Amino acid sequence: MVPILYQNIFNAIRIESTMEAGNSIIISDFKGKNFYGADAVNTIMQSLSHDLSLHLSRLYDIGVRNRHVNKRDVASIPLLIRLLRQKRCQNELAKRARNWLPTMPHLAEQFESDCLSAISSASQSYSDTFRGPYGRSGLKLLKEFRDNFLAHSLMKEQQRRPIYLQLFRLNDCARNFIHFAQLAVTGNNSDLKDYEEMFRKDAEHFWRRALNASFQVSAD
């Protein structure tokens, strides 16, 4: 489950970084200015927001409710946190953690402690998802948007959709959770924030050059 969630959040971070960089540059450098391709930029941003919504819908999917939770065939944060909070699962992960580096048995106790600490941090990160103005309400709106618009074309008109701040906050919470969950399960302590920074810099290079070129053509 963890590798699947990691790939989902990896892609979601790339999308969020691209959106954030574009929005930031447009607001700081081009607010109130006309430039060719503005409608296309809006279309790109909307498409990215839909793609991010799909990634987040998968990450926070609880599966089919009429099926026992242990038999739901989805990889998601709610199902993983249920396992991580079970004592028998914690005991098994702590036992496995002692063997993260078989050639260094003197670190076994430290690895076990690191694993249990990561589980605790993952649990706290999941709880934090529901707090604040964009937490629980953001998850509710995301599910509504997914059910009525993204996954289906229902006769019911979907007027509300998650705003960028809601999507970004849910994505950041998912990033934090998966970072600690991956550490607890695999011993891999790679920081997803490092990738986020790299994606952001790359996106800034793209947006600044693309928008500057478009503005110069418009000015001419």
Side-chain angles (χ1 to χ4, degrees), residues 15 19 42-58 142 145-146 149-150 161-162 164 167:
I15 296 168
M19 293 177 66
N42 289 333
T43 299
I44 292 170
M45 287 296 185
Q46 186 177 69
S47 297
L48 288 172
S49 71
H50 289 174
D51 198 7
L52 181 56
S53 296
L54 280 172
H55 277 78
L56 291 171
S57 295
R58 289 196 295 267
L142 176 67
F145 184 54
R146 179 264 179 197
F149 181 80
L150 292 176
R161 62 185 61 199
Y164 289 169
L167 295 176

Side-chain angles (χ1 to χ4, degrees), residues 102-213:
T103 58
M104 304 180 71
H106 61 285
L107 294 177
E109 290 188 6
Q110 180 61 53
F111 289 153
E112 180 179 355
S113 176
D114 291 343
C115 173
L116 294 174
S117 177
I119 292 174
S120 177
S121 295
S123 180
Q124 184 61 54
S125 295
Y126 183 71
S127 297
D128 289 343
T129 305
F130 298 90
R131 299 191 175 98
Y134 303 118
R136 191 178 300 275
S137 62
L139 282 170
K140 181 179 179 181
L141 185 54
L142 176 67
K143 186 178 186 307
E144 179 183 320
F145 184 54
R146 179 264 179 197
D147 290 347
N148 297 336
F149 181 80
L150 292 176
H152 311 283
S153 294
L154 299 185
M155 298 294 289
K156 176 182 177 181
E157 183 178 0
Q158 176 63 33
Q159 296 181 337
R160 299 196 311 148
R161 62 185 61 199
I163 61 175
Y164 289 169
L165 288 177
Q166 288 173 319
L167 295 176
F168 294 166
R169 185 184 184 281
L170 291 176
N171 201 46
D172 290 346
C173 289
R175 176 202 64 204
N176 295 339
F177 171 84
I178 292 173
H179 165 73
F180 291 118
Q182 178 182 240
L183 173 58
V185 174
T186 70
N188 187 336
N189 195 30
S190 60
D191 196 341
L192 286 163
K193 290 182 181 179
D194 292 338
Y195 288 108
E196 187 172 12
E197 183 178 353
M198 180 180 67
F199 294 150
R200 176 65 182 257
K201 289 180 179 178
D202 187 55
E204 286 175 349
H205 289 319
F206 165 76
W207 283 116
R208 186 155 279 117
R209 283 163 176 74
L211 293 172
N212 275 326

